[in-house]
């Protein structure tokens, strides 16, 4: 496939992934009268089934032996599984309880929280525009807290849990399907035990409301795995900066569904808070694109200089000789300059 065709295909895969993540609020209400925790348990159990089938078809099992020999990675996978369980469960509950707009806010502010974690945990340095974006995001949370009469806890828990999940996944360094398989393997037994417990009490929704409802509960695995596969196909075909921009599609669709389809209230203070968040994300995106352009220009200039030096037989000055670091060191985004593209959305 030609490079242009690869790029177009990657863009379509990316739009498909984030589009499905953005439209998922339409799916969870279909699973009622199952409760949020039962839906979560089905999602964890069936996701392992479908991901295992995908890995079996692709014959990608070598990573299991390496993971099993690393207690540190196993511990991190367990932490990731616990954090994404909180994220998934709260997201399902919030959608089925009429808080779609507040849930969408969580994913809007997630890039800002990721930046903050980069500073606090990884000791990363921020550029002035990134500091401005984080400050505006903090002001938005204050405005919403005053408007609600309490902090927007759904949004904050979703944002912080997903940012922490991304941080842990970065340290584990597994592929999308492999990572989901490892995490759902950790989740599987507790999920299965909970479903069995519901069955012994006679309150299990699975199988009690017709074949269609049963199939929908089983389809929670597909709803989790299919967007992830599309995301993986996009990630190898388009630049990270493009994925960073595409990620805003999901919360935008969720927000529009909350307002236009679920008819959730949008009082003035909520509009004010969201407007501040959107302003912060605009600044963050502008800064990321500007930094990306400078990095590419510096890299191209360095390549031209190296080629010219090679042609004349003259050595290229080192960073120490010129008093400057490499282009990547001078201009590369720190931490979340380009917002990280998530892989396991709610």
């Amino acid at each position: 496939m030609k490079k242009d065709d690869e790029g177009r295909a990657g863009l379509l895969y990316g739009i498909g992934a984030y589009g499905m993540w953005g439209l998922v609020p339409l799916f969870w209400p279909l699973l009622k009268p199952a409760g949020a925790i039962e839906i979560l348990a089905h999602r964890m159990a069936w996701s392992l089934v479908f991901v295992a089938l995908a890995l079996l078809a692709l014959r990608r099992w070598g990573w299991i032996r390496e993971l099993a020999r690393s207690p540190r990675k196993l511990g991190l996978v367990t932490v990731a599984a616990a954090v994404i369980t909180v994220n998934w469960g709260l997201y399902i509950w919030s959608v089925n309880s009429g808080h779609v707009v507040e849930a969408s806010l969580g994913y809007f502010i997630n890039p800002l929280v990721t930046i903050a974690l980069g500073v606090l945990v990884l000791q990363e340095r921020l550029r002035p525009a990134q500091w401005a974006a984080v400050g505006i995001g903090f002001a938005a949370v204050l405005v919403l807290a005053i408007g609600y009469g309490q902090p927007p806890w759904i949004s904050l828990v979703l944002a912080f849990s997903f940012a922490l999940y991304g941080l842990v996944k970065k340290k584990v360094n597994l592929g999308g399907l492999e990572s989901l398989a490892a995490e759902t393997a950790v989740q599987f037994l507790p999920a299965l035990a909970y479903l069995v417990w519901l069955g012994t009490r006679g309150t299990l929704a699975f199988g009690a409301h017709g074949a269609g409802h049963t199939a929908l509960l089983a389809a929670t695995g597909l709803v989790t795995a299919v967007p992830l596969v599309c995301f993986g196909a996009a990630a190898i075909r388009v630049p990270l900066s493009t994925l960073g921009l595409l990620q805003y599609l999901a919360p935008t669709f969720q927000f529009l569904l909350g307002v236009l389809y679920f008819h959730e209230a949008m009082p003035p203070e909520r509009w004010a808070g969201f407007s501040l968040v959107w302003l912060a994300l605009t600044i963050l995106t502008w800064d990321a694109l500007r930094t990306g352009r400078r990095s590419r220009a510096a890299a191209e200039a360095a390549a031209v200089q190296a080629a010219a030096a090679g042609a004349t037989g003259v050595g290229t000055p080192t960073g120490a000789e010129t008093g400057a670091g490499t282009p990547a060191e001078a201009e590369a985004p720190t931490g979340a300059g380009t917002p990280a593209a998530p892989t396991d959305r709610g």
Side-chain angles (χ1 to χ4, degrees), residues 157-197:
V157 173
L158 287 174
F160 275 91
S161 61
F162 203 68
L164 180 59
Y165 174 69
L167 180 64
V168 175
K169 281 177 70 75
K170 182 177 181 181
K171 292 182 178 296
V172 175
N173 194 27
L174 279 177
L177 278 176
E178 292 86 350
S179 177
L180 183 61
E183 292 153 18
T184 51
V186 172
Q187 297 169 329
F188 182 79
L189 288 180
L192 184 62
Y194 180 75
L195 294 174
V196 170
W197 179 73

Coordinates of all heavy atoms in Angstrom, one line a residue, residues 157-197:
V157 N -12.7 11.9 38.8 CA -12.3 10.5 39.0 C -12.0 9.9 37.6 O -11.0 9.2 37.5 CB -13.4 9.8 39.8 CG1 -13.0 8.3 39.8 CG2 -13.5 10.3 41.2
L158 N -12.9 10.2 36.6 CA -12.6 9.6 35.3 C -11.3 10.1 34.7 O -10.5 9.4 34.2 CB -13.8 10.0 34.4 CG -15.1 9.2 34.6 CD1 -16.2 9.8 33.7 CD2 -14.9 7.7 34.3
A159 N -11.1 11.4 34.9 CA -9.8 12.0 34.3 C -8.6 11.5 35.0 O -7.6 11.1 34.4 CB -9.9 13.5 34.4
F160 N -8.6 11.5 36.3 CA -7.4 11.1 37.1 C -7.2 9.6 36.9 O -6.0 9.1 36.8 CB -7.5 11.5 38.6 CG -7.1 12.9 38.8 CD1 -8.0 13.9 38.8 CD2 -5.8 13.1 39.1 CE1 -7.6 15.2 39.0 CE2 -5.3 14.4 39.4 CZ -6.2 15.5 39.3
S161 N -8.2 8.8 37.0 CA -8.0 7.3 36.8 C -7.5 7.0 35.4 O -6.6 6.1 35.3 CB -9.4 6.6 37.1 OG -10.4 6.9 36.1
F162 N -8.0 7.7 34.4 CA -7.5 7.4 33.1 C -6.1 7.9 32.8 O -5.3 7.2 32.2 CB -8.4 7.9 32.0 CG -8.3 7.3 30.7 CD1 -8.8 6.0 30.5 CD2 -7.8 7.9 29.6 CE1 -8.7 5.3 29.3 CE2 -7.7 7.3 28.4 CZ -8.1 6.0 28.2
A163 N -5.8 9.0 33.4 CA -4.4 9.5 33.3 C -3.4 8.6 34.1 O -2.3 8.3 33.6 CB -4.3 10.9 33.9
L164 N -3.8 8.1 35.3 CA -3.0 7.2 36.0 C -2.8 5.9 35.3 O -1.7 5.3 35.2 CB -3.6 7.0 37.4 CG -2.8 6.0 38.3 CD1 -1.4 6.5 38.6 CD2 -3.5 5.8 39.6
Y165 N -3.9 5.4 34.6 CA -3.9 4.2 33.8 C -2.9 4.4 32.7 O -2.1 3.5 32.4 CB -5.3 3.9 33.3 CG -5.4 2.8 32.3 CD1 -5.2 1.5 32.8 CD2 -5.7 3.0 31.0 CE1 -5.3 0.4 31.9 CE2 -5.8 2.0 30.1 CZ -5.7 0.7 30.5 OH -5.8 -0.4 29.7
G166 N -2.9 5.5 32.0 CA -2.0 5.8 30.9 C -0.5 5.8 31.4 O 0.4 5.3 30.7
L167 N -0.3 6.3 32.6 CA 1.1 6.4 33.1 C 1.6 5.0 33.4 O 2.7 4.6 33.1 CB 1.0 7.2 34.4 CG 2.4 7.4 35.2 CD1 3.4 8.1 34.3 CD2 2.2 8.1 36.5
V168 N 0.7 4.1 34.0 CA 1.1 2.8 34.3 C 1.4 2.0 33.0 O 2.3 1.2 32.9 CB 0.1 2.1 35.2 CG1 0.4 0.6 35.4 CG2 -0.1 2.8 36.5
K169 N 0.5 2.1 32.1 CA 0.6 1.4 30.8 C 2.0 1.8 30.1 O 2.6 0.9 29.4 CB -0.5 1.7 29.9 CG -1.8 0.9 30.2 CD -2.9 1.3 29.3 CE -2.7 0.8 27.9 NZ -3.0 -0.6 27.8
K170 N 2.3 3.0 30.2 CA 3.6 3.5 29.6 C 4.8 2.7 30.2 O 5.7 2.4 29.5 CB 3.7 5.0 29.8 CG 5.0 5.6 29.2 CD 5.0 7.1 29.4 CE 6.3 7.7 28.7 NZ 6.4 9.1 28.9
K171 N 4.7 2.5 31.5 CA 5.8 1.8 32.2 C 5.8 0.3 31.8 O 6.8 -0.4 31.8 CB 5.7 2.0 33.7 CG 6.0 3.4 34.1 CD 5.9 3.6 35.6 CE 6.3 5.0 36.0 NZ 7.7 5.4 35.7
V172 N 4.6 -0.3 31.6 CA 4.5 -1.7 31.3 C 5.0 -2.0 29.8 O 5.6 -3.0 29.6 CB 3.0 -2.2 31.4 CG1 2.9 -3.7 30.9 CG2 2.6 -2.1 32.8
N173 N 4.6 -1.0 28.9 CA 5.1 -1.1 27.6 C 4.7 -2.4 26.8 O 5.5 -3.1 26.3 CB 6.6 -0.9 27.5 CG 7.2 -0.6 26.1 OD1 6.4 -0.1 25.3 ND2 8.4 -1.0 25.8
L174 N 3.4 -2.7 26.8 CA 2.8 -3.8 26.1 C 1.9 -3.2 25.0 O 1.4 -2.1 25.1 CB 2.0 -4.7 26.9 CG 2.7 -5.7 27.8 CD1 1.6 -6.5 28.6 CD2 3.4 -6.7 26.9
G175 N 1.7 -3.9 23.9 CA 0.9 -3.5 22.8 C -0.6 -3.5 23.3 O -0.9 -4.0 24.4
G176 N -1.4 -2.8 22.5 CA -2.8 -2.6 22.9 C -3.6 -3.9 23.2 O -4.2 -4.1 24.3
L177 N -3.6 -4.9 22.3 CA -4.3 -6.1 22.5 C -3.6 -6.9 23.7 O -4.3 -7.5 24.5 CB -4.3 -7.0 21.3 CG -5.4 -6.6 20.2 CD1 -5.2 -7.5 19.0 CD2 -6.8 -6.8 20.8
E178 N -2.3 -7.0 23.7 CA -1.6 -7.7 24.7 C -1.9 -7.1 26.1 O -2.1 -7.8 27.1 CB -0.1 -7.7 24.4 CG 0.3 -8.5 23.2 CD 0.2 -7.7 21.9 OE1 -0.3 -6.6 22.0 OE2 0.7 -8.2 20.9
S179 N -1.9 -5.8 26.2 CA -2.1 -5.1 27.4 C -3.5 -5.4 27.9 O -3.8 -5.7 29.1 CB -1.9 -3.6 27.3 OG -2.2 -2.9 28.5
L180 N -4.5 -5.3 27.0 CA -5.9 -5.6 27.4 C -6.1 -7.0 27.8 O -6.8 -7.3 28.8 CB -6.8 -5.2 26.3 CG -8.3 -5.4 26.6 CD1 -8.8 -4.4 27.7 CD2 -9.2 -5.1 25.3
A181 N -5.4 -7.9 27.2 CA -5.5 -9.3 27.5 C -4.9 -9.6 28.9 O -5.6 -10.3 29.7 CB -4.7 -10.2 26.5
A182 N -3.8 -8.9 29.2 CA -3.2 -9.1 30.6 C -4.1 -8.5 31.6 O -4.3 -9.1 32.7 CB -1.8 -8.5 30.6
E183 N -4.6 -7.3 31.4 CA -5.5 -6.7 32.4 C -6.8 -7.4 32.6 O -7.2 -7.6 33.8 CB -5.7 -5.2 31.9 CG -4.5 -4.3 32.0 CD -4.6 -3.2 31.0 OE1 -5.7 -2.9 30.5 OE2 -3.5 -2.6 30.6
T184 N -7.4 -7.9 31.5 CA -8.7 -8.6 31.7 C -8.5 -10.0 32.3 O -9.4 -10.5 32.9 CB -9.4 -8.7 30.4 OG1 -8.6 -9.2 29.4 CG2 -10.0 -7.3 30.0
A185 N -7.2 -10.5 32.1 CA -6.9 -11.8 32.8 C -6.9 -11.6 34.3 O -7.4 -12.4 35.1 CB -5.6 -12.3 32.3
V186 N -6.4 -10.4 34.7 CA -6.4 -10.1 36.2 C -7.9 -9.9 36.6 O -8.3 -10.3 37.7 CB -5.6 -8.8 36.4 CG1 -5.7 -8.4 37.9 CG2 -4.1 -9.1 36.1
Q187 N -8.7 -9.3 35.8 CA -10.1 -8.9 36.2 C -11.0 -10.1 36.1 O -12.0 -10.1 36.8 CB -10.6 -7.9 35.2 CG -9.9 -6.5 35.3 CD -10.3 -5.6 34.1 OE1 -10.7 -6.1 33.1 NE2 -10.3 -4.3 34.4
F188 N -10.6 -11.2 35.3 CA -11.6 -12.2 35.0 C -12.1 -13.0 36.2 O -13.4 -13.1 36.3 CB -10.9 -13.2 34.0 CG -11.8 -14.3 33.5 CD1 -12.8 -14.0 32.5 CD2 -11.8 -15.5 34.1 CE1 -13.6 -15.0 32.1 CE2 -12.6 -16.5 33.6 CZ -13.6 -16.3 32.6
L189 N -11.3 -13.5 37.0 CA -11.8 -14.3 38.1 C -12.7 -13.5 39.1 O -13.8 -14.0 39.5 CB -10.6 -14.9 38.9 CG -9.9 -16.1 38.1 CD1 -8.8 -16.6 39.0 CD2 -10.9 -17.2 37.8
P190 N -12.3 -12.3 39.5 CA -13.2 -11.5 40.3 C -14.6 -11.2 39.6 O -15.6 -11.3 40.3 CB -12.5 -10.2 40.6 CG -11.0 -10.6 40.5 CD -11.0 -11.6 39.4
A191 N -14.5 -10.9 38.3 CA -15.7 -10.7 37.6 C -16.6 -11.9 37.5 O -17.8 -11.8 37.7 CB -15.4 -10.2 36.2
L192 N -16.0 -13.0 37.2 CA -16.7 -14.3 37.2 C -17.3 -14.6 38.5 O -18.5 -15.1 38.6 CB -15.8 -15.4 36.7 CG -16.5 -16.8 36.4 CD1 -17.6 -16.7 35.4 CD2 -15.4 -17.8 36.1
A193 N -16.6 -14.4 39.6 CA -17.1 -14.7 40.9 C -18.3 -13.9 41.3 O -19.2 -14.3 41.9 CB -15.9 -14.5 41.9
Y194 N -18.2 -12.6 40.8 CA -19.4 -11.7 41.1 C -20.6 -12.2 40.3 O -21.7 -12.2 40.9 CB -19.0 -10.3 40.7 CG -20.1 -9.3 41.0 CD1 -20.4 -8.9 42.2 CD2 -20.9 -8.8 39.9 CE1 -21.5 -8.0 42.5 CE2 -21.9 -7.9 40.1 CZ -22.2 -7.5 41.4 OH -23.2 -6.6 41.6
L195 N -20.4 -12.6 39.1 CA -21.5 -13.0 38.3 C -22.1 -14.3 38.9 O -23.4 -14.5 38.9 CB -21.1 -13.2 36.8 CG -20.7 -11.9 36.1 CD1 -20.1 -12.3 34.7 CD2 -21.9 -11.0 35.9
V196 N -21.3 -15.2 39.3 CA -21.8 -16.4 40.0 C -22.5 -16.1 41.2 O -23.6 -16.7 41.5 CB -20.6 -17.4 40.2 CG1 -21.0 -18.6 41.1 CG2 -20.0 -17.9 38.9
W197 N -22.0 -15.2 42.0 CA -22.7 -14.7 43.2 C -24.1 -14.2 42.9 O -25.1 -14.5 43.6 CB -21.8 -13.7 44.0 CG -22.4 -13.2 45.2 CD1 -22.6 -13.9 46.4 CD2 -23.0 -11.9 45.4 NE1 -23.2 -13.1 47.3 CE2 -23.5 -11.9 46.8 CE3 -23.1 -10.8 44.6 CZ2 -24.0 -10.7 47.3 CZ3 -23.7 -9.6 45.2 CH2 -24.2 -9.6 46.5

